[in-house]
Amino acid sequence: MVHLGPKKPQARKGSMADVPKELMDEIHQLEDMFTVDSETLRKVVKHFIDELNKGLTKKGGNIPMIPGWVMEFPTGKESGNYLAIDLGGTNLRVVLVKLSGNHTFDTTQSKYKLPHDMRTTKHQEELWSFIADSLKDFMVEQELLNTKDTLPLGFTFSYPASQNKINEGILQRWTKGFDIPNVEGHDVVPLLQNEISKRELPIEIVALINDTVGTLVASYYTDPETKMGVIFGTGVNGAFYDVVSDIEKLEGKLADDIPSNSPMAINCEYGSFDNEHLVLPRTKYDVAVDEQSPRPGQQAFEKMTSGYYLGELLRLVLLELNEKGLMLKDQDLTKLKQPYIMDTSYPARIEDDPFENLEDTDDIFQKDFGVKTTLPERKLIRRLCELIGTRAARLAVCGIAAICQKRGYKTGHIAADGSVYNKYPGFKEAAAKGLRDIYGWTGDASNDPITIVPAEDGSGAGAAVIAALSEKRIAEGKSLGIIGA
Ligand code: GLC
């Protein structure tokens, strides 16, 4: 393909002069549906705070607010060699982390592609065997097998998993399209540790970590201004340090050596915010995404904000416009009719298309979906991608504002990671703008008191620091969780 101009994003809204009225009307309707004003954002934040608080009560609520049993702030002096693994949607990442003890760390890592269909295999053993085999390969590559000492491992498992102690994770329910039977309701640590032991690998899982908690701790290790760890990726979630005495549901459950003023990292699991559908401005497309998902009624907030669903929203709108006879007329839409065929890289690449005639978008539709598009159609598609991405960013930061307001944080850094944050064009700017709108900050954005900053490697360094903190507690004979766990 010949690139005619500099590969640089042009004004996000190109000229709409040549878009016929019937498509323009649709664009305006989509703008109305997908635009979330500041007042709505503030309403969402208000309800969010109530729901976060509810999640900490004994009765509980929609948001799980899971204590992560990280009860220290890292000092930056933690040191030693640790293994970390991160089970993502497409890859398993294995990392050897060397914590230097002076706020810095080194990592060596390998990625292992999850076999096709592993997300929905019927046999859960296959998942744990795959992880243990990958760990073995890594140990061989890195010549770690002959070490006498057992290597402590931090397991980043980014699904809602209840923890009565740091080295436990009872899966509440799969999210992000995973659907493997006989894991929900079980502690995943022994499931993996068994497979590790079968292979006689000198590895002990000392901590199970949510990615948000890892992000929080890794970023705190290098920057004590960190107030939250957040993920804007396949899923959306956040973690922060609460104080034990403010966590009602832990009352009477804690061993004496955990003081009431102890910090406690909380994995909010706020992707499930507003499962009751009280405040989020859902469109009919959001309703359809939910109804057609493997877990209808769950992860309401995540379904409007996270990477797993953004391409699907785009696809559903396009199909509806086609059914109304407005676009992609007389085309074979067989491919486009496949659920989830458009992952988030599609809206991201379409938004990034630098050409006046949206040539990249044209290519994408022809090559990947066998569909020819007209320029006005592509203009609608591009505008729709902007709307979906901007809405996701603005809603996603409501979780941040809610935690900050709940904890009374007036300043600080929010450490963010995830594919959408790192790769979706315009997301960072839209997220910052969303926060400004919620708080009513005016003036130079570089003076914003709360800023979202790129995180340190949560599932590598974060998992390692947490493993180190956990080992230290074990060495000091301190409890790792609730009484008797
Ligand atoms: C989903 C998971 C959560 C994770 C988030 C980001 O919401 O349930 O555990 O933190 O995705 O990966």
Side-chain angles (χ1 to χ4, degrees), residues 158-160 175-176 210-212 231 235-237 269 299 302:
S158 304
Y159 305 89
T175 52
K176 301 180 285 195
N210 186 261
D211 50 1
T212 55
I231 302 289
V236 158
N237 190 15
E269 288 295 335
Q299 302 297 98
E302 186 157 271

Side-chain angles (χ1 to χ4, degrees), residues 14 27 37 51 53 70 92 94 108 136 147 160 176 204 236 240 302 353 360 372 374 414 419:
I27 292 180
D37 62 19
E51 290 290 297
N53 286 332
V70 181
L92 170 77
V94 181
T108 314
K136 186 166 179 191
T147 51
K176 301 180 285 195
E204 189 190 351
V236 158
F240 69 106
E302 186 157 271
D353 187 341
D360 282 354
K372 286 208 173 89
T374 64
I414 309 300
S419 51

